[in-house]
Structures are given as C-alpha cells and as structure tokens.
Amino acid sequence: FSAPFAIHATFFSLQVAIALVYLVSVLVRGQLRLVYKAACLAGILLLTAGIIQLGSKAVLIATLLTINIVFPLLLVQRKRAISYVLFTASVSAILIAFTLNVSSFKARYYTEMKSDLSQPATDEISDPRLARWEAALKLFKHKPVFGYGSGTELTILENEYFSEKLYSSYLNKLNAHNQYISFMLTSGCMGLLFYLATLLAGFAAAVIRKDFMLFAFILLIGVVSLSESLLNAEKGVFFYGLFFSLLVYSIPRQLNRPYIKNFF
C-alpha cells in the first residue's frame, strides 16, 4: 500500500492520520454545504480504510483516542459531546470488530502485537520488540546519565543482540524500535528528559489553547514513539520537525504577545 511512495507504513500512516483528524474536525465543527459534507465524509472513509490497511497499530490506537476522547474534550460543544461520544464509540467498535474478523487484519493487529510483547521463542523467525527493549535497557544501565553518544545505537545493540541470541535483530541491524529507549541509549536520562519536556510543552500549549490539531499530533508522536524509533529516520524527523513547528507556533490572533513570552 505504501510501496509506491517508498515510505515505511508507519510514517505514511502518520501523515494519513493527520489528514483524517483534520477532516473529522472540519466535518464536526463546520457549517458546510451538503456537497462539502459529502466530500469530507468520502475523504474520512478513504483515509480510515488507508490507516487500517497500512497496519500501524500505534497510529490506529492514537487516532481512535484522538477521535473518541480529544475531540469531545476540546472541540465538541458540551451539549453535543454525549451524542458525539456515543456515535464515535459505536463506529470505533464496529471498525475494531470488523478488523478482528478479517484473518489478515487479525494477524497483523492482534497476533503480531501479542508476539511483539512476548518473550522470544526458539521456533520464531523474528525477534519480538519486548526482547529488543530488554536488551537495550541492559545497555542503558551501564551509562544511564549521558548515554553512549549520538549514532552509536546500532553498533552497541548489534553486539548485545548477538550475545542475547537475537539473531534476526542482529542480522537485520534493527534499532530498539522505541524512541524513548533510543534516547536513553544515545543521550541517557538527559536526552530523554529533553524529549519529554518538548512533548510536555506541546501538550500544555494544546490544552491551554484548546488546539485539537496540536493535541492530536502530540498524542500521535507520543504513542508511536513507544513502538518505533521515530526520529532515527529522515521521514520521521521531517514529519516531527515540520508539524511540531507549524502547530506550536500557529498562535491564534486573539492570543497576544505576552502569552508567548510567558509560556515559552
């Protein structure tokens, strides 16, 4: 599905999710003509099908949380919030039930997630993410403050994979597949704290300004960072840098300059 774009499915899913969140927000809050509502609904259906087909579990979870929780809190009026939650929760439940009843989707979403969070078995070809996280955390304990330095993650993990008999990860030269752990390895607790502080600043700005797009973006980044080393790839860096900068500094006109100084 993402092969024509030469992009990893998770990174493509992030872009699809941002577009989906925007279209849902336009449909929910806008007084649109029927033709525009139909166009938004068609786009939402297409993008939803795209996210499901791409198979990124983290992006799908973050998108469902955004639509079912963030929107009612920040976007939908209180009088309409209950009916909105009931509707979106029902649609989400139908989508989840449909996904789990299709064998290929069930294998991708349920079976693979269960395998990723289990201990490695001798009859498995690939190594679960949990095993890679445990190997990375063992290395972190030796240099917890400042880490091993930028660009060292693959080198030090390669040796640890071999010693832990994670041969698939060793041969494929896989990273930790967790951005928080990646920072812990390369920059230690200091690097991790800076990253968390950045996400917290974006989260605080979203709550203060009731900015649902920024909130959705921070939620996407925070959840995907649990399963991918997002900032180890150029596509992830470009996505993070572009949208974070645009959304954080898109201060509404009614917020004056002292607000910016006090917050930042």
Side-chain angles (χ1 to χ4, degrees):
F1 193 77
S2 60
F5 300 96
I7 185 173
H8 190 281
T10 297
F11 297 121
F12 189 30
S13 296
L14 286 169
Q15 300 177 36
V16 174
I18 284 291
L20 174 61
V21 168
Y22 178 73
L23 283 184
V24 172
S25 69
V26 170
L27 188 64
V28 169
R29 67 176 180 174
Q31 298 295 329
L32 302 176
R33 296 180 180 178
L34 182 61
V35 63
Y36 294 124
K37 287 183 178 180
C40 279
L41 184 59
I44 289 169
L45 293 174
L46 177 63
L47 294 172
T48 301
I51 287 182
I52 293 174
Q53 178 64 29
L54 285 166
S56 175
K57 296 175 281 294
V59 172
L60 181 60
I61 291 171
T63 303
L64 290 176
L65 290 175
T66 299
I67 293 175
N68 287 283
I69 297 177
V70 177
F71 274 16
L73 292 176
L74 300 182
L75 187 62
V76 181
Q77 297 177 356
R78 291 184 179 180
K79 295 180 180 179
R80 301 171 54 194
I82 296 177
S83 58
Y84 172 86
V85 170
L86 291 175
F87 175 76
T88 56
S90 300
V91 173
S92 299
I94 293 172
L95 282 175
I96 293 172
F98 166 77
T99 302
L100 295 180
N101 279 317
V102 177
S103 57
S104 60
F105 290 147
K106 183 178 181 180
R108 192 179 304 173
Y109 283 102
Y110 176 73
T111 307
E112 288 185 8
M113 178 180 287
K114 183 179 179 181
S115 177
D116 273 337
L117 299 178
S118 63
Q119 293 296 329
T122 55
D123 58 343
E124 290 182 347
I125 299 175
S126 60
D127 304 317
R129 273 182 169 83
L130 182 61
R132 295 202 294 273
W133 296 346
E134 291 176 348
L137 290 174
K138 287 181 180 179
L139 293 169
F140 165 73
K141 293 178 181 179
H142 298 294
K143 291 189 177 182
V145 181
F146 296 106
Y148 293 84
S150 179
T152 60
E153 180 180 353
L154 293 180
T155 302
I156 60 175
L157 279 177
E158 186 176 3
N159 297 328
E160 187 66 21
Y161 288 154
F162 190 82
S163 63
E164 294 291 330
K165 299 181 180 180
L166 302 175
Y167 297 124
S168 176
S169 302
Y170 170 79
L171 293 173
N172 291 290
K173 298 182 178 180
L174 299 180
N175 57 39
H177 275 71
N178 184 305
Q179 188 58 61
Y180 305 110
I181 294 178
S182 290
F183 274 121
M184 291 166 68
L185 285 177
T186 57
S187 308
C189 291
M190 299 302 296
L192 177 62
L193 288 175
F194 274 112
Y195 183 56
L196 293 176
T198 304
L199 295 181
L200 182 60
F203 172 79
V207 172
I208 293 172
R209 291 154 40 182
K210 294 185 177 181
D211 189 334
F212 57 90
M213 285 299 296
L214 178 56
F215 201 116
F217 172 78
I218 295 296
L219 185 59
L220 275 170
I221 295 298
V223 174
V224 173
S225 291
L226 290 171
S227 62
E228 296 288 344
S229 294
L230 184 66
L231 302 181
N232 285 22
E234 291 181 354
K235 297 177 180 67
V237 173
F238 289 149
F239 178 84
Y240 177 81
L242 174 65
F243 282 102
F244 190 86
S245 301
L246 288 176
L247 293 172
V248 165
Y249 290 103
S250 61
I251 305 296
R253 292 182 179 180
Q254 64 268 27
L255 297 177
N256 55 23
R257 193 172 299 276
Y259 166 83
I260 304 175
K261 289 182 178 179
N262 292 335
F263 184 78
F264 293 100

